[in-house]
Amino acid sequence: MSGVSRHYKDETNRRIMVVNLFSAVGVSITFFLGIRALIGQEFPLAIILLTASITFALSQRIQIHFGTPRSRTVSMTLLITCLMVLVFLLLITGGKDNTGPLWIYLVPPVTMFFAGFVRGLLALLVFTIACTLLFFVFDESLLLTSYTYAFKSRLLYSFLTVTFLSAFYEYSRQKSYETALDLSEQFEQQANHDHLTKLMNRRGCQVTLEKEYARIQRSKKVFSIAIADIDRFKSINDTYGHEAGDDVLVKISEIFSSRLRKQDILARWGGEEFMFIFPETTSSEAVNVLEELREALSYSAVAIGDSDIHITSSFGVCEVSCALPLADAIRHADMELYRAKESGRNKVCIG
């Protein structure tokens, strides 16, 4: 009912909650003051306040009812516009005992928070120009009350000071949020990717597998997975050293990645093992792709120091459907990989 969703970013949910809170407070205050003005037979002020109360309520309902980015933008724009118009009218009429101008200090922080730094500055610039023209150019024709020159000038000076502080705070807040978001993305990247090959690691691959499995539960289609293991990789480490072995893994990952289809996913499953995910692909179609990869790898000479060696890989394939649990599919692919190893290596076996 509040419009908050776990699917939204934290910043989006925070803005939704603040819009709801500000709208609720705005509705309560303007409605109470509007009724009091109505009882006191201050009808112009009562109409202004009650109209603002309705507008605040409308902005909240738009956000909750539609729940789209555009509706949230419309809701915040309506809220800011309503606040600015309300304050501007209070400047014109003076409000209760000429205390209306005091509400002007709400405008900068609210505008900055909802509109952001750049749009907020532009909106506040327009509002400041309008207030300056009202006070010093059209004061005799538009103002329904009287203010001294000292009051008007000091009100604008203090308003500009609050605007500057609000802008500085919003700029600092946005930069801090962007920095935290970048760090979070970097940590997420490091947590889900292999530092050597830059491919997804086992953890990231497991998340992708679960998403793909959830997708076929809805679509009732299939996808295929394959586990590849580099043949006799231990002998490479023993002969050329572990650093050379790392170089070989990087080059193999590059060969695999360059020959996969755009929709296919490659991950380092662990050690010298790689996991392939083929969305909306049958096992026979996956085998065709893997046979091309197997041949490309076996025909490619990998340079290690002054030597060029030829490397092969074995593959185990399994087709995943709604009826087959994901853990069983991975186990079947691993069994087929073992069968490929046992039957001579450099093969693609399908279960």
Side-chain angles (χ1 to χ4, degrees):
M1 294 297 292
S2 65
V4 174
S5 172
R6 60 185 178 85
H7 301 295
Y8 297 154
K9 294 181 179 179
D10 291 340
E11 177 74 1
T12 301
N13 280 329
R14 193 166 70 90
R15 287 183 181 273
I16 291 173
M17 292 175 63
V18 174
V19 166
N20 291 338
L21 178 61
F22 189 85
S23 297
V25 172
V27 167
S28 302
I29 293 176
T30 52
F31 182 78
F32 171 75
L33 294 178
I35 293 299
R36 196 170 73 169
L38 193 63
I39 294 173
Q41 297 185 347
E42 299 175 278
F43 297 117
L45 180 60
I47 292 173
I48 292 171
L49 292 170
L50 293 176
T51 302
S53 180
I54 294 171
T55 307
F56 283 137
L58 181 62
S59 69
Q60 184 186 32
R61 294 312 306 167
I62 289 174
Q63 174 179 259
I64 295 175
H65 180 72
F66 294 100
T68 62
R70 183 177 180 82
S71 67
R72 289 193 290 273
T73 301
V74 170
S75 175
M76 287 186 284
T77 302
L78 184 61
L79 192 150
I80 293 170
T81 303
C82 176
L83 178 62
M84 286 186 171
V85 171
L86 173 62
V87 171
F88 194 76
L89 290 175
L90 288 175
L91 292 178
I92 293 176
T93 61
K96 181 71 173 178
D97 299 328
N98 263 14
T99 58
L102 296 177
W103 294 97
I104 197 172
Y105 300 112
L106 281 178
V107 175
V110 171
T111 303
M112 279 294 171
F113 180 82
F114 290 132
F117 178 72
V118 176
R119 293 179 181 177
L121 273 183
L122 292 175
L124 288 172
L125 176 62
V126 173
F127 183 76
T128 303
I129 292 173
C131 291
T132 303
L133 292 175
L134 174 66
F135 280 161
F136 301 107
V137 178
F138 301 106
D139 51 330
E140 293 185 1
S141 58
L142 292 180
L143 286 180
L144 302 180
T145 187
S146 60
Y147 306 111
T148 65
Y149 178 86
F151 175 84
K152 292 186 290 186
S153 59
R154 282 163 176 72
L155 182 70
L156 283 178
Y157 292 152
S158 58
F159 174 77
L160 289 173
T161 302
V162 174
T163 297
F164 170 77
L165 294 174
S166 300
F168 179 76
Y169 171 78
E170 179 61 22
Y171 177 80
S172 301
R173 191 192 67 81
Q174 286 186 5
K175 287 300 179 182
S176 298
Y177 176 75
E178 291 169 3
T179 300
L181 196 61
D182 288 342
L183 288 174
S184 177
E185 290 175 353
Q186 290 177 23
F187 291 148
E188 187 73 16
Q189 177 79 7
Q190 293 172 3
N192 292 327
H193 287 76
D194 176 52
H195 72 282
L196 179 65
T197 62
K198 309 307 178 186
L199 300 174
M200 273 194 301
N201 58 19
R202 191 185 190 102
R203 179 190 177 198
C205 184
Q206 190 69 42
V207 172
T208 304
L209 282 168
E210 291 170 359
K211 288 181 179 178
E212 189 64 26
Y213 190 73
R215 192 171 67 83
I216 67 166
Q217 297 294 321
R218 299 189 298 270
S219 65
K220 306 303 178 184
K221 296 181 180 180
V222 299
F223 73 98
S224 294
I225 62 172
I227 301 177
D229 185 86
I230 309 306
D231 297 330
R232 298 184 175 87
F233 184 75
K234 185 177 183 301
S235 65
I236 297 174
N237 280 334
D238 293 341
T239 304
Y240 300 100
H242 289 279
E243 187 173 341
D246 289 344
D247 291 339
V248 168
L249 288 174
V250 172
K251 291 171 183 176
I252 290 174
S253 68
E254 291 172 352
I255 293 172
F256 283 163
S257 298
S258 64
R259 286 167 173 79
L260 283 176
R261 302 172 303 177
K262 185 178 180 180
Q263 69 269 31
D264 300 333
I265 300 167
L266 174 64
R268 188 179 179 189
W269 193 239
E272 64 271 24
E273 287 188 342
F274 294 86
M275 170 70 80
F276 296 84
I277 304 174
F278 301 100
E280 296 187 11
T281 303
T282 63
S283 55
S284 59
E285 292 170 336
V287 167
N288 293 334
V289 177
L290 292 169
E291 284 290 357
E292 293 180 6
L293 287 177
R294 184 189 62 78
E295 291 182 5
L297 178 61
S298 62
Y299 292 144
S300 299
V302 178
I304 301 180
D306 297 329
S307 304
D308 288 339
I309 64 173
H310 288 271
I311 299 172
T312 62
S313 179
S314 302
F315 302 83
V317 186
C318 181
E319 182 176 294
V320 188
S321 65
C322 299
L324 181 65
L326 183 58
D328 290 346
I330 295 173
R331 187 170 62 254
H332 290 169
D334 201 44
M335 291 171 58
E336 293 305 316
L337 172 62
Y338 180 78
R339 190 160 69 90
K341 291 283 190 181
E342 289 294 305
S343 59
R345 298 183 176 86
N346 192 25
K347 291 184 178 180
V348 179
C349 287
I350 179 175

